[in-house]
Every structure is written in C-alpha cells, then in structure tokens.
Amino acid sequence: MKRMWLAGLLLGSTAAIAADPLTIDPARLSDITRTLASEPFQGRAPATPGEKPTLDYIIAQFKQAGLSPAGDNSGWTQRVPLVHTRLGDGRMSVTAGGAEVPLVQKQQIYVSTVRHVDRVAIAKAPMVFVGYGVTAPERQWDDFKGQDLKGKVAVFLVNDPDFEAKPGEPAAGKFGGKAMTFYGRWVYKYQEAARRGAVAALIVHDTPGAGYGWNTVIAPGGENYDIVRTGPDQPVLLQGWIEGEAARDLFRRAGLDLDKLRIEARSPAFKPVALQGSAFSADLPVKSEQVQSFNVLGQIRGAKRPDETVMYGAHWDAYGIGVPDAQGRTIRPGAMDDAIGIAGMVEIARAFHAGPKPDRTIVFAAWTGEERGLLGSEHYAVHPLFPLEKTVANLTMDILQTGGPARDVVLVGPGQSDLEDDLAREAKAQGRTITPETLPERGLFYRADHFSVAKRGVPTLLLMGIAGPHDLVNGGRAAGQKWLDAYMACYHQTCDAWTPDLNFEGAAQDVALLYRIGRELAFTGRWPDWRPSSEFRQVRDKSASQRKRP
C-alpha cells in the first residue's frame, strides 16, 4: 500500500509538472552568461574589484526572479573569510646526484601556498616518493607504512592505485577502476601530506591521470586561496605539481625509475621510497592577506514545511585577470565555468516564482571560491544557514554544454543516489536518455561544489557538460565530441568567453531537468537517499531520525 501511495503521489506530481507551460528560455540563459562574462566583471575572481559588480548583479537577478534573502542576518550574502596568497619570483631547485638542478615555475614545476606567510623558505628538504599516498583501511591499503614525513617533501602520483592497473594486478578494482575516488584528488593528497607533517607536497602530473593538461595546472599563476583555518591542523607550506618529464629526470638523477615505481605503487605491499641524495629547496616571497568574499543566497520560503530545503547551487567565481594570451587578452571570463550555472539558477528561480508556492523551502546558492578548492561551499557546509540534516537534496550546475539540443544527458558519478532515478524519469519525459560519464578518471563527482555537502550526507546531483560528449541532435556523438574538445582547449583560459555562436538550447534542456526534479521534491514529502554502496550513505543515516518520511 505504501508503494502504491507513493507511486500515485509521484505520478500526480509529475503530471502536474508536465502540464506546467513555463519553459527555460535559452535567450535569457545567454544574456545572463554574456553579462557575467563581460569585461566589467574582470573574470570574477574572489576579493578582487570584479567581485562587487558580480555580487550586485546576482542579487539584482535574484530579486527580479522573485527570491527573498537567505544569507547572514537576513541579508543576501554569507561572509566567507579567505586567505589569499600569490607567490613572487624566487628560486627553486633540487640537489640530485651532486648537482643543483633549477626548477622553473610553470615549466618543470608549478607550486603555490595557502599559508598566511610572507615567505616560503625550504632548505634542502629530503624527498620521499609515497606512491599514490592513500590510506584506506576499508580497502586494506596504506601507502605510507609508518613513514615519517616531518620536514620532508612528499611526492605523489596523481589519481588512484588502480587507475592504470592491469587485470590481475593487486590494485585492480580496489578503487573503482578508471573512476576516480576522493583518494585520487589533489586535495586529499595535500591534506594527507599535511597530516603527516610534510613541509611540501608535489604531485607528478600526467594528463590522463589528472584529467587535464599542464596548461590547466599553471592557469592560476601562483595565486591561491583557502578558507581561514584555526588550530593545529595547517596545510603544507608549499603544494603543487611536477611536470611529467621533469619528474622522470629527477627520479633518474636519484637512481630511480619512475615508470617502474608506478607499477610497484599499484600493490598494497608498496613502501615509500626515499630519493637518495635528492633535496628540495625553495626561496619564494609571498604576498599574503586575509580577504573577505561572499556567497550569495536567495530563497522561496516553503508554505508547509519551511524547515526542509531543496538547494540549487552554482559558483560565481572564475580565474580573474592573468598574463596576456597570444591575442593580448588577460581576462579569463569563465562563461561556461560557471556563469552559465548562475544563469540556470536564475531561470529556475523564475520558474518557481511563476508557479504555486512550494511546500518546502527552495534555496539558491551562488558560491565563491570554487576554482580555488570549493571554498565557498565548504565554508557553508561548516557554517550552514539551513540544517544539512533537513536539506532534501543539492542540485548543482557547473559547465553546461552549448553545442545545441541533445538526445541524452550525461550522468556524473553513476551509482550514488536515488536522484539518478529522478534524472532518468525527467530525461525520458523530454525524450532523452541517460549516458554515464565517459571520463570517470577525471573524478568530476569530487570536483564541484555539491561535494562539500555530499560528504556531509546531503544527496546530490551534478550536471556538468564536460563529463563526456553528448549525443547532439545535429551531428550526434561526433558533434558532441567536437564541442567538448573545443571547450577543453579553453578550460580556465581567456577563450572561455561568450560568443554569438554558442547554442544555449541544450543548456536549457538540462536546466529544465533540474527544475523538474527540484519541483517534484518541493511538493512531496519524499527524502531521496544514497545508494547502499555509496560512501555517503552512512553519514546520512546518522541523522535519519530528524527527517519525517511519508
């Protein structure tokens, strides 16, 4: 009886939604994206002159869409204190084989710091290769084996131990195959190095394992941000990447074969390897300051259960102003990443405001600091303005495709939550199918703002146009791949800009999907949940008593 009741409820709700004549307007998506990616916003970097016009514009759009404030003290914003750093010109080198080998920023190495210091000074710190740097008791895996890293430089491989594993190797299947887990993310590796007392953490870059090229690694230009952290748990003094060939050369000089060590690191028997005779030195000035940035939050208050919230999210920040490109452009406008996500939220807000008042509260969050490590959403997750235990779901848009209408929607992180069933249902209503992400090694599920609340138990769904080539109505999968390749060449670059050639019809399809999913949740008492196999199910279960179920 319970199943029949719920099925009837969902069927009635879905039918009512399908009858809603309101559609998401591609022209409005284009207009908002074009404005946010325009010159006055200066690339929307946090705590720069581009932030204020960005906040003012988003607040104005939220007001016009019929939202009310949902930030601190009944205002539109939530304060997000950040540490902002930028490395100056200095020296870095490795002493290896009796010779000093210089390391040039953006060439052999790329580093930054998130410590509130005025100088990074490291003198001949020993270097230790720690494989993938994973400690995962639930997988019977420990790369460190008690290795003392205090005062040392930890050198990691990117991704997970089974990313390159061959069938029959010990790591095969231990970490999800090609699909990256959180253990493969650079954030995890830096945190693990810090927990173990390392002075610096360096990751060996390779494009397949990272999911992006060296040009993306160096895009921040030595600048970095972090939330303000207090207490003894501080990040490493220096963090970053070693270019692949430079790393091979460094290991050769230490009498080691990096390619051979890669294979050894794919075994749980792996033990850290000291780079004998190698020592890392750095002397770099740092411009460091504590700055203030802001999330923007709006809401439509629920009529029946206002304490239960359905959250939409997208990040407003991009990479600001950098060095001139070949055409002399310095602004990295972030049109697709993620002005289009903000546009999608505004359109969804407009759609909700045009209809009946929802039973549950709808929250719209425009996050700061995503490009610097999901910082705005992380600050919110630590200091939530709506209880996470009663947040029904988080629906996030981060880079929507602008190649045109598609026959499918690409699912990021398949096998995580019930929301995937909702996505399949609404996609079918549009005459579309679900395609699982084709590049799970990129770990996209762990690289967008929804992850900040996901790891605290909130069921999430992410739409991201770079998760794989769409099957476009005009040109099929080949056309989808062409769009994806062209966009990735502009990822975090000056060419991620609005142009009249962009086709927002496919983006409008995806925005409409999230609107329909959120609308169904807003008008029913249903609580979506994580799949039993999800690593987040246990976290959510701890607060189950706080949620009423139909």
Side-chain angles (χ1 to χ4, degrees), residues 133-155:
V134 171
T135 298
E138 77 283 3
R139 290 171 165 89
Q140 295 80 51
W141 201 280
D142 175 22
D143 282 331
F144 294 96
K145 307 294 192 300
Q147 172 71 46
D148 180 12
L149 290 179
K150 290 180 180 177
K152 298 177 182 177
V153 177
V155 181

Side-chain angles (χ1 to χ4, degrees), residues 287-415:
K287 182 180 179 182
S288 174
E289 57 183 342
Q290 283 199 19
V291 297
Q292 189 68 59
S293 191
F294 297 88
N295 295 325
V296 182
L297 293 114
Q299 66 177 318
I300 295 176
R301 195 75 175 161
K304 296 181 180 178
R305 294 185 297 280
D307 61 325
E308 300 172 4
T309 56
V310 177
M311 173 178 277
Y312 288 92
H315 68 91
W316 63 253
D317 67 304
Y319 268 109
I321 296 174
V323 298
D325 65 9
Q327 288 77 43
R329 299 173 297 187
T330 58
I331 294 176
R332 294 166 287 188
M336 297 304 99
D337 189 13
D338 185 32
I340 194 171
I342 298 296
M345 276 208 305
V346 172
E347 275 298 280
I348 290 172
R350 198 185 309 276
F352 271 108
H353 183 66
K357 197 172 181 64
D359 294 347
R360 287 165 156 165
T361 296
I362 314 296
V363 177
F364 298 85
W367 308 117
T368 183
E370 188 274 348
E371 300 292 4
R372 316 299 176 159
L374 318 181
L375 300 182
S377 57
E378 177 68 15
H379 179 83
Y380 176 90
V382 175
H383 307 283
L385 300 179
F386 297 86
L388 298 181
E389 296 81 5
K390 290 194 174 184
T391 300
V392 179
N394 173 284
L395 308 172
T396 289
M397 292 164 281
D398 194 347
I399 308 176
L400 302 178
Q401 67 90 7
T402 51
R407 298 185 183 92
D408 65 349
V409 59
V410 178
L411 173 62
V412 181

Side-chain angles (χ1 to χ4, degrees), residues 146-218:
Q147 172 71 46
D148 180 12
L149 290 179
K150 290 180 180 177
K152 298 177 182 177
V153 177
V155 181
F156 296 82
L157 295 173
V158 71
N159 217 299
D160 298 317
D162 67 349
F163 173 68
E164 296 179 303
K166 306 296 188 295
E169 288 187 351
K174 281 276 191 179
F175 293 83
K178 291 289 185 183
M180 184 187 288
T181 67
F182 187 48
Y183 296 115
R185 293 286 292 129
W186 52 264
V187 173
Y188 170 80
K189 297 175 192 294
Y190 296 155
Q191 290 174 348
E192 195 65 27
R195 279 193 289 269
R196 295 171 182 274
V199 69
L202 300 174
I203 301 171
V204 176
H205 177 264
D206 67 78
T207 298
Y212 41 77
W214 188 248
N215 63 327
T216 298
V217 170
I218 67 176

Side-chain angles (χ1 to χ4, degrees), residues 8-259:
L9 180 63
L10 295 182
L11 181 62
S13 174
T14 304
I17 294 168
D20 184 356
L22 192 143
T23 57
I24 301 300
D25 187 352
R28 280 200 294 257
L29 291 178
S30 177
D31 288 344
I32 295 171
T33 302
R34 176 176 58 184
T35 300
L36 283 171
S38 64
E39 188 171 335
F41 296 85
Q42 300 182 42
R44 306 190 310 278
T48 68
E51 174 161 350
K52 187 179 187 306
T54 301
L55 300 181
D56 290 345
Y57 179 77
I58 294 172
I59 291 169
Q61 289 296 311
F62 276 10
K63 287 179 178 178
Q64 289 177 21
L67 301 185
S68 58
D72 294 332
N73 303 314
S74 302
W76 285 101
T77 61
Q78 179 186 34
R79 295 170 65 88
V80 182
L82 298 174
V83 174
H84 175 217
T85 65
R86 185 186 291 275
L87 292 181
D89 294 333
R91 296 184 51 148
M92 288 181 285
S93 65
V94 170
T95 303
E100 185 176 12
V101 181
L103 299 173
V104 179
Q105 177 81 320
K106 297 189 185 181
Q107 294 183 24
Q108 295 86 14
I109 194 170
Y110 175 78
V111 291
S112 65
T113 186
V114 289
R115 292 280 289 273
H116 193 18
V117 296
D118 58 12
R119 192 164 209 87
V120 168
I122 300 173
K124 295 185 176 180
M127 306 182 75
V128 180
F129 174 65
V130 294
Y132 290 91
V134 171
T135 298
E138 77 283 3
R139 290 171 165 89
Q140 295 80 51
W141 201 280
D142 175 22
D143 282 331
F144 294 96
K145 307 294 192 300
Q147 172 71 46
D148 180 12
L149 290 179
K150 290 180 180 177
K152 298 177 182 177
V153 177
V155 181
F156 296 82
L157 295 173
V158 71
N159 217 299
D160 298 317
D162 67 349
F163 173 68
E164 296 179 303
K166 306 296 188 295
E169 288 187 351
K174 281 276 191 179
F175 293 83
K178 291 289 185 183
M180 184 187 288
T181 67
F182 187 48
Y183 296 115
R185 293 286 292 129
W186 52 264
V187 173
Y188 170 80
K189 297 175 192 294
Y190 296 155
Q191 290 174 348
E192 195 65 27
R195 279 193 289 269
R196 295 171 182 274
V199 69
L202 300 174
I203 301 171
V204 176
H205 177 264
D206 67 78
T207 298
Y212 41 77
W214 188 248
N215 63 327
T216 298
V217 170
I218 67 176
E223 184 183 42
N224 213 335
Y225 293 82
D226 195 13
I227 60 173
V228 173
R229 301 182 188 274
T230 58
D233 296 329
Q234 294 296 313
V236 291
L237 184 59
L238 201 66
Q239 62 188 45
W241 301 76
I242 305 177
E243 192 275 330
E245 285 305 314
R248 285 189 177 86
D249 179 65
L250 170 62
F251 276 66
R252 278 195 298 267
R253 291 173 182 270
L256 299 170
D257 183 335
L258 179 56
D259 292 327

Side-chain angles (χ1 to χ4, degrees), residues 438-451:
T438 55
L439 298 168
E441 62 270 25
R442 290 183 174 176
L444 295 178
F445 187 82
Y446 306 94
R447 287 169 53 185
D449 284 307
H450 71 290
F451 182 60

